[in-house]
């Protein structure tokens, strides 16, 4: 079984049909905490300038799935008294995973809504679906894009797969569709910390993080709201920071973290809530990006405390125009913390989660304990999730359909956090998705928060005087 499991996770070309893989810790915790009100879906959008051929796309996607047999899996049914959940590798899809949306000005908006509201079932292999939306360029607004082309929208169940896994499957699909092997993808290199760093590397949160202030709807109305809302931004990639001692003073990822902290602080103050302390969850992914990349949920989660070293900076950061010097100090502090956190390896969700999912008790009892622990830990759950893929490492060249001109993705935004920020860059543009729980924010409030994030990201470049507001860069909401 060990040999089968290792082969299944490493993209071998001959899938071991019927192999069983016990749920890893991350998968089991997610499985215990599923909710119909807030589906645990991950969505990836790839925008192409041309049209795809349906038969070729279906064939290419199936070949890609066979290249990554760990994605061809389904949950093994069982009773609550069994000791573990398990995935079964199927070798072939249980049903057709590729579909084509109808034409119309709202086709993309409807596909996005499906991605947020309806997870692929875990009982069918693969736990993902690919939907192709043809854009005719005749619609108005941002829902249909700016011209003719195709949007490939991949939706995955996050209990089984994460965004980097889905992006790797799409990259292999592009290679199969275009008929040409892509160039080798260099491995991820994380620089070791240079000199002293600020902040610890543990996961323990000693200060109760602030929550994002809810909108003005009555609390009973918010409580009955279901699902997620989403808005996408097309922004310039922030300028590279100067280097010191061979390392940049801060990275785009650090700027995204600071922008999120500024957004929460300024939003909360405007709604009569405390500005901080802000604590952000940041996934860290050290997997290779080639075809040998292990599928599944391969990131580990770290917690980044977004507090300035100087308490007097707090007021300078949440004003209408955040003070550039205070922003620069927060960026340096954040960069030190993220370098320290990414250089230390640990359990994906901490030792507590490993203990809760140890196969010592039946899964039914472990589920009750896990949900209870999640409820008890809710007040100390981080303020928001910030996940950044960085520059998309794949060409995503679909031959006569063209190369990807934009890639967006989104992560779940379940309560009590209720907010996730996801970013990727393609062609010198930064594609950011804000996704929120409708139990926290309505769509109008979510759009206002996205506008504030855009201003805060501009303010996270301390060499620019003041925040720039460019709301016409919004690319769509669901």
């Amino acid at each position: 079984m060990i040999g089968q499991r290792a082969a299944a996770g490493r993209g071998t070309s001959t899938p071991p049909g019927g192999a069983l893989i016990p749920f890893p810790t991350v998968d089991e915790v997610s499985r215990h905490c599923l909710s119909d009100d807030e589906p645990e879906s991950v969505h990836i959008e790839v925008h192409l300038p041309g049209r795809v051929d349906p038969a070729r796309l279906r064939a290419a996607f199936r070949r890609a799935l066979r290249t990554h047999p760990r994605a061809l899996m389904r949950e093994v049914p069982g009773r609550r008294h069994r000791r573990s959940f398990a995935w079964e590798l199927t070798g072939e899809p249980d049903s057709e995973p590729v579909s084509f949306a109808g034409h119309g000005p709202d086709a993309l908006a409807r596909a996005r809504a499906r991605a947020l509201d309806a997870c692929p079932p875990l009982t069918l292999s693969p736990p993902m679906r690919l939907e192709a939306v043809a854009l005719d360029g005749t619609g108005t607004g941002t829902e249909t894009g700016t011209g003719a082309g195709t949007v490939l929208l991949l939706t995955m169940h996050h209990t089984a797969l994460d965004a980097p896994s889905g992006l790797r499957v799409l990259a292999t699909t592009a290679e199969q569709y275009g008929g040409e092997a892509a160039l080798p993808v260099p491995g991820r290199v994380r620089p070791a910390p240079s000199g002293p760093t600020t902040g610890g590397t543990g996961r323990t949160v000693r200060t109760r993080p602030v929550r994002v202030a809810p909108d003005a709807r009555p609390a009973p109305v918010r409580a009955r709201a279901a699902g997620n809302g989403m808005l996408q931004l097309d922004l310039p990639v922030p300028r590279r920071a100067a280097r010191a001692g061979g390392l940049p003073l801060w990275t785009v990822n650090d700027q995204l973290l600071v922008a999120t902290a500024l957004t929460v602080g300024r939003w909360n103050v405007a709604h009569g809530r405390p500005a901080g302390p802000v604590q952000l969850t940041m996934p860290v992914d050290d997997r290779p990006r080639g075809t040998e990349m292990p599928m599944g949920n391969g990131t580990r989660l770290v917690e980044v405390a977004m507090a300035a070293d100087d308490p007097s900076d707090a007021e300078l950061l949440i004003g209408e125009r955040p003070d550039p010097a205070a922003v620069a100090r927060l960026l340096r502090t954040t960069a030190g913390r993220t370098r320290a956190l990414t250089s230390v390896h640990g359990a994906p969700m901490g030792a507590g989660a490993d203990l809760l999912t140890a196969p010592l008790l039946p899964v039914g009892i472990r589920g009750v304990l896990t949900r209870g622990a999640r409820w008890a830990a809710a007040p100390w759950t981080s303020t928001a999730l910030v996940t950044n893929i960085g520059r998309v490492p794949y060409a995503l060249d679909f031959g006569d359909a063209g190369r990807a001109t934009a890639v967006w993705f989104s992560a779940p935004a379940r309560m009590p956090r209720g907010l996730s920020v996801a970013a990727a860059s393609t062609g010198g543009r930064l594609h950011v998705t804000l996704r929120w729980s409708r139990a926290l924010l309505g769509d109008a409030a979510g759009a206002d928060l996205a506008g504030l994030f855009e201003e805060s990201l501009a303010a996270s470049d301390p060499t620019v005087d003041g925040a720039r507001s460019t709301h016409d860069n919004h690319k769509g909401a669901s």
Side-chain angles (χ1 to χ4, degrees), residues 265-445:
R266 297 166 72 194
W267 174 268
N268 280 7
V269 168
H271 290 77
R273 296 294 184 92
V278 173
Q279 189 95 10
L280 301 177
T281 295
M282 181 182 76
V284 179
D285 188 5
D286 297 311
R287 288 173 291 182
R289 289 295 185 259
T291 54
E292 77 280 9
M293 176 183 179
M295 296 287 103
N297 286 303
T299 58
R300 52 191 169 94
L301 302 178
V302 299
E303 310 294 341
V304 186
M306 301 302 299
D309 287 337
D310 186 347
S312 64
D313 280 351
E315 291 296 324
L316 300 175
L317 291 168
I318 61 175
E320 183 177 352
R321 290 178 177 269
D323 179 73
V327 171
R329 288 190 289 271
L330 181 58
L331 281 165
R332 291 190 184 94
T333 299
T334 302
R337 288 172 179 159
T338 56
R339 279 198 294 269
L341 288 164
T342 55
S343 66
V344 176
H345 294 270
M349 300 184 73
D354 286 349
L355 181 62
L356 281 171
T357 58
L360 305 175
L361 298 170
V363 294
I365 297 176
R366 298 209 302 269
V368 172
L369 295 175
T370 301
R371 289 186 291 274
R374 184 175 184 267
W375 177 85
W380 289 271
T381 301
S382 66
T383 308
L385 171 74
V386 179
T387 176
N388 175 33
I389 287 178
R391 184 179 63 83
V392 175
Y394 313 114
L396 296 176
D397 188 345
F398 282 79
D400 49 13
R403 288 193 175 199
T405 57
V407 177
W408 278 278
F409 78 101
S410 75
R414 297 180 59 185
M415 297 294 282
R417 283 193 196 101
L419 176 66
S420 69
V421 179
S425 62
T426 305
R429 303 294 293 178
L430 185 67
H431 300 116
V432 181
T433 304
L434 272 74
R435 184 166 160 179
W436 57 87
S437 169
R438 289 198 171 105
L440 177 70
L441 302 172
D443 288 347

Side-chain angles (χ1 to χ4, degrees), residues 9 19 54 66 73 94 114 128 175 192 211 247-249 255 278 282 310 314 339 341 399 409 427 429 452 463 476:
R66 296 189 193 105
M73 59 183 178
D94 289 332
R114 285 190 290 273
M128 65 168 71
E175 296 170 24
R211 304 258 69 83
L247 293 174
L249 293 176
Q255 288 177 278
V278 173
M282 181 182 76
D310 186 347
R339 279 198 294 269
L341 288 164
F409 78 101
R429 303 294 293 178
L452 188 58
T463 64

